[in-house]
């Protein structure tokens, strides 16, 4: 555990008013790319480069930063990046007029989630990148030598090739003829790629909506549990492979089915976790039929291959073993399970393969089985680059797998807090992480998980109380002159107001407010109705007695109209979007110590009724 009593240092001098204005009032860009960002898929990450700018502006080299909701460790990475800032990071500080001293900072991260703590600890304290790359290459070579036959396939000419991925298909029952028909055969067409919502039976010609159509169930022997289970019946629909440098695809053949029979005879490795899933808010009785344990998310082929690779990695020790585990898990749940999907994109001849849908545990009617070896080889370059960036950094990062409601640090020992608390009911982190945690054999204690969850019987009040306790602990360990920067995202006024009451009850209040401009929205920010793009950023300081001022009487719509008018005058198309304006509305009220008066959805309805900008204005002016 890192303690900060060893050598007293002067706290960072207060930032000039002008610098604060530049840092918080202008949207600060946060990229969703780069080796550190892409090394491991984890929900709601923030670019460590963006966080580094806040840390550098609020602290001096050698200071200690705290994050009570550490996630995958990006605040720790940002503290280390201050030692060797990129040219782009230096240029952004100059552009904003920030007088920063570059140099390594230390960090203490508390993360309740077992997976998040593992990821953060490994990324901020990586193994030697050269030794890691050699060990990973050795593991891959051994796996391909011994188990590569499981991905063998014949190309359309009959030559020997290898599988890149396989599309499976749910089986449906035709309501007219009773025939068992693959969803692929009834609804999918190629060139151009399309998935129809109309079921067309190739046997009898009957057409009907796929909504409510009966999925076929089958009984299957479970060799892990020594039992049988009912699950959705699936058919191998199409095989995508490569022969040398040539890529190809074709329908499944009897040769493919014969390979599956051969794989059925392979024993299940003992390393496969026998982990019952503690289903919660993400459970759906339809597409989760028969999925009661972690291994049910895999095809037999991928379960055996991944388990054998896991066993090979376990022969290593120390930081090298943790780095290899990190590598395997970085691909596992997101790409190696039946949650991997295909989508039909406009203008594409064939279906496009994607990862698992973030933020949920969705299994589509057309799940994909990817080649683990090919995917892990691609991940190697990114992870090696991430480890190389952080290896031998001068700062120290301690990651504690524990609750931020009970922090084992001395009072007045932390120079600055940067944190990104859970967003109400938006993402159930513990439930999402369970698959990877099962392989680590370390699970999240959900008692202090700050979340709005019907399954956990946590309402907005329980959520607020947990946040309050965490913020009180952060206030206790923060030096009297220390500040806290918080990034938050919600489309719900109730959640915003719970957050406000939590930090106020803990002794904080808003001094400045701004927006973090994520260059690409998260999945839920892109797809959820009423979602918010551009996360509000709040600078919190000690709460002071605020003199009550008479309310000007302006309604929320008066404020909204003024914000809209200012955004149009700024001639920045991003500022004039409904999502950005809602973020500005939120920060307007919070910075005035007032409650957020309405949800994003209500604001978007109002926005849709506003007149479009006149012909005299355009983004190109």
């Amino acid at each position: 555990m890192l303690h900060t009593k060893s050598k007293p240092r002067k706290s960072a001098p207060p930032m000039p008013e002008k610098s604060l204005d530049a840092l918080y009032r202008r949207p600060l860009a946060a990229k969703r790319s780069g080796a550190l960002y892409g090394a491991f898929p984890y929900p709601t990450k923030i670019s460590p480069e963006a966080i580094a700018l806040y840390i550098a502006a609020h602290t001096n080299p050698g200071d200690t930063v705290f994050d009570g909701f550490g996630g995958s460790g990006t605040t720790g990475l940002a503290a280390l990046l201050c030692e060797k800032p990129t040219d782009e990071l230096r240029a952004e500080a100059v552009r904003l007029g920030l007088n920063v001293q570059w140099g390594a900072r230390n960090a203490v991260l508390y993360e309740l989630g077992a997976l998040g703590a593992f990821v953060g600890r490994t990324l901020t304290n990586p193994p030697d990148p050269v030794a890691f790359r050699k060990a990973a290459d050795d593991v891959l070579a051994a796996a391909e030598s011994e188990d590569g036959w499981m991905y063998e396939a014949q190309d359309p000419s009959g030559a020997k090739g290898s599988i890149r991925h396989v599309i499976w298909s749910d089986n449906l029952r035709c309501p007219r003829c009773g025939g068992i028909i693959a969803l692929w055969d009834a609804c999918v067409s190629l060139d151009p790629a399309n998935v129809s919502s109309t079921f067309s039976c190739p046997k009898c010609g009957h057409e009907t909506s796929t909504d409510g159509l009966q999925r076929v169930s089958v009984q299957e022997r479970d060799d892990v549990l020594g039992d049988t289970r009912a699950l959705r019946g699936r058919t191998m629909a199409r095989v995508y492979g490569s022969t040398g440098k040539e890529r190809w695809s074709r329908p499944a053949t009897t040769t493919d089915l014969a390979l599956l029979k051969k794989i059925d005879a392979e024993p299940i490795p003992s390393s496969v976790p026998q982990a019952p899933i503690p289903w919660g808010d993400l459970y759906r009785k339809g597409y989760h039929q028969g999925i009661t344990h972690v291994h049910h998310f895999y095809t037999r082929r991928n379960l055996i291959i991944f388990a054998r690779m896991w066993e090979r990695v376990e022969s290593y020790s120390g930081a090298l073993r943790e780095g290899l585990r990190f590598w395997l898990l970085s691909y596992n749940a997101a790409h190696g399970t039946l949650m991997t999907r295909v989508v039909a994109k406009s203008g594409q001849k064939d279906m496009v393969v994607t990862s698992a849908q973030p933020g949920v545990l969705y299994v589509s009617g057309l799940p994909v089985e990817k080649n683990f070896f090919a995917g892990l080889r691609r991940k190697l370059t990114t992870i090696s680059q991430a480890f190389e960036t952080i290896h031998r950094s001068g700062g120290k990062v301690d990651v504690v797998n524990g609750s931020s409601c009970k922090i084992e640090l001395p009072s007045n020992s932390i120079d600055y807090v940067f944190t990104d608390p859970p967003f109400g009911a938006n993402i159930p982190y513990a439930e999402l992480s369970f698959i990877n945690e099962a392989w680590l054999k370390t699970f999240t204690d959900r008692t202090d998980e700050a979340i709005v969850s019907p399954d956990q019987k946590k309402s907005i009040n329980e959520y607020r109380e947990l946040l309050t306790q965490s913020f009180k602990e952060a206030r206790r360990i923060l030096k009297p002159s220390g500040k806290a920067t918080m990034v938050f995202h919600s489309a719900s006024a109730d959640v915003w107001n719970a957050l406000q009451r939590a930090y106020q009850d803990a002794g904080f209040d808003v001094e400045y407010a701004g927006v973090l401009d994520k260059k690409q929205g998260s999945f839920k920010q892109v797809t959820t109705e009423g979602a918010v793009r551009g996360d509000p950023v709040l600078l919190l300081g000690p709460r002071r007695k605020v003199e009550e001022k008479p309310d000007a009487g302006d309604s929320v719509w008066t404020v909204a109209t003024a914000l809209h008018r200012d955004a149009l005058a700024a001639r920045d198309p991003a500022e004039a979007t409904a999502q950005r304006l809602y973020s500005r509305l939120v920060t307007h009220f919070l910075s005035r110590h007032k409650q957020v008066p309405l949800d994003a959805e209500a604001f978007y309805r109002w926005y849709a009724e506003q007149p479009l900008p006149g012909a005299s204005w355009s983004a190109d002016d």
Side-chain angles (χ1 to χ4, degrees), residues 437-515:
E437 289 180 354
W439 291 94
L440 291 170
K441 293 183 172 60
T442 306
F443 300 98
T444 299
D445 180 350
R446 304 184 187 187
T447 305
D448 286 346
E449 185 178 17
I451 188 174
V452 178
S453 166
D455 182 75
Q456 294 189 34
K457 296 180 173 55
K458 290 177 181 174
S459 68
I460 194 78
N461 291 326
E462 284 76 22
Y463 169 70
R464 174 183 53 77
E465 289 167 1
L466 287 166
L467 285 183
T468 302
Q469 186 58 39
S470 295
F471 293 157
K472 282 182 176 179
E473 280 288 86
R475 186 75 202 95
R476 177 185 65 79
I477 63 176
L478 195 59
K479 292 178 179 178
S481 59
K483 306 290 185 183
T485 299
M486 178 168 61
V487 179
F488 199 77
H489 166 95
S490 180
S492 165
D494 286 343
V495 171
W496 277 113
N497 295 329
L499 176 78
Q500 182 189 57
R501 182 175 166 187
Y503 64 66
Q504 287 181 340
D505 287 351
F508 286 112
D509 226 332
V510 176
E511 295 187 356
Y512 275 86
V515 172

Side-chain angles (χ1 to χ4, degrees), residues 151-337:
Y151 288 130
E152 288 180 358
Q154 293 180 354
D155 67 18
S157 69
K160 183 179 178 180
S162 62
I163 293 170
R164 291 184 291 123
H165 63 270
V166 172
I167 300 178
W168 290 81
S169 171
D170 280 4
N171 290 330
L172 311 176
R173 190 174 298 281
C174 176
R176 174 181 288 175
C177 70
I180 296 176
I181 310 297
L183 174 66
W184 177 274
D185 295 332
C187 300
V188 176
S189 56
L190 301 178
D191 198 12
N194 181 61
V195 181
S196 175
S197 59
T198 299
F199 170 89
S200 299
C201 180
K203 290 185 176 180
C204 70
H206 179 65
E207 292 191 353
T208 186
S209 171
T210 55
D211 291 342
L213 210 59
Q214 180 187 353
R215 256 65 173 179
V216 175
S217 296
V218 296
Q219 293 286 325
E220 182 181 87
R221 173 73 181 174
D222 187 333
D223 288 347
V224 176
L225 302 179
D227 203 350
T228 59
R229 65 181 176 120
L231 70 156
R232 285 192 169 185
R234 294 190 177 98
T235 297
M236 186 187 291
R238 195 165 183 86
V239 177
Y240 292 74
S242 60
T243 305
K245 294 184 178 180
E246 182 182 352
R247 293 189 169 192
W248 47 265
S249 68
R250 56 164 175 74
T253 65
T254 55
T255 304
D256 300 316
L257 300 180
L259 178 61
L260 293 183
K261 286 286 188 185
K262 185 178 178 182
I263 293 171
D264 282 342
E266 289 291 302
I268 299 293
S270 60
S271 59
V272 170
Q274 296 186 29
I277 302 170
W279 280 115
D281 299 305
L282 296 180
Y283 178 74
R284 301 294 182 269
K285 66 179 181 179
Y287 56 76
H288 287 146
Q289 180 189 4
I291 300 178
T292 62
H293 290 67
V294 163
H295 64 279
H296 295 156
F297 273 106
Y298 299 81
T299 62
R300 186 181 184 92
R301 168 167 38 207
N302 273 2
L303 181 66
I304 293 172
I305 283 176
F306 186 77
R308 290 179 179 174
M309 291 194 75
W310 191 262
E311 290 173 353
R312 293 182 181 96
V313 162
E314 292 300 281
S315 66
Y316 294 84
S317 62
L320 187 53
R321 184 187 70 171
E322 298 306 276
L324 293 169
R325 284 174 156 189
F326 178 99
W327 166 53
L328 294 185
L329 294 180
S330 74
Y331 195 77
N332 178 40
H335 296 276
T337 67

Side-chain angles (χ1 to χ4, degrees), residues 164-168 184 188-195 238 240 247 249 334-335 339-357 362 364 366-370:
R164 291 184 291 123
H165 63 270
V166 172
I167 300 178
W168 290 81
W184 177 274
V188 176
S189 56
L190 301 178
D191 198 12
N194 181 61
V195 181
R238 195 165 183 86
Y240 292 74
R247 293 189 169 192
S249 68
H335 296 276
M339 294 186 292
T340 309
R341 307 160 292 140
V342 286
V343 294
K345 291 190 175 181
S346 176
Q348 296 292 320
K349 291 184 177 181
D350 208 338
M351 307 293 285
V352 177
V353 181
T354 70
S355 64
Q357 184 171 307
Y362 173 64
S364 83
L366 297 170
V368 175
E369 179 185 21
K370 287 185 177 179

